[in-house]
Amino acid sequence: MITLVAIAIVTFRSSFIFYKILDRCIPIRVTFDQKEWGLGISQQGIVMDSSPVYILLKAISV
């Protein structure tokens, strides 16, 4: 039982350290602005025709 608890602790710590290193190199969480504008645009470049962002971008480009 002690071995299982020790393995769980070591695994959690290792995963957390790896997450922090990766987060510094490549931000994993999206910013508030990306959430506001929509994750489709910020992550995949997808714009829905009826979305407020598409309407705004279309109005700006005219």
Side-chain angles (χ1 to χ4, degrees):
M1 193 63 150
I2 294 172
T3 305
L4 290 176
V5 172
I7 290 172
I9 291 171
V10 169
T11 303
F12 177 77
R13 282 187 182 174
S14 302
S15 298
F16 188 75
I17 290 170
F18 181 69
Y19 167 77
K20 285 298 186 181
I21 292 170
L22 186 63
D23 189 40
R24 295 230 181 200
C25 297
I26 305 168
I28 295 173
R29 295 194 53 112
V30 295
T31 63
F32 180 75
D33 291 336
Q34 289 174 330
K35 286 182 191 177
E36 278 293 310
W37 283 92
L39 296 178
I41 295 171
S42 65
Q43 301 299 314
Q44 293 98 14
I46 299 170
V47 178
M48 300 295 288
D49 290 346
S50 61
S51 72
V53 176
Y54 178 76
I55 296 168
L56 178 66
L57 292 175
K58 192 173 182 182
I60 291 172
S61 67
V62 172

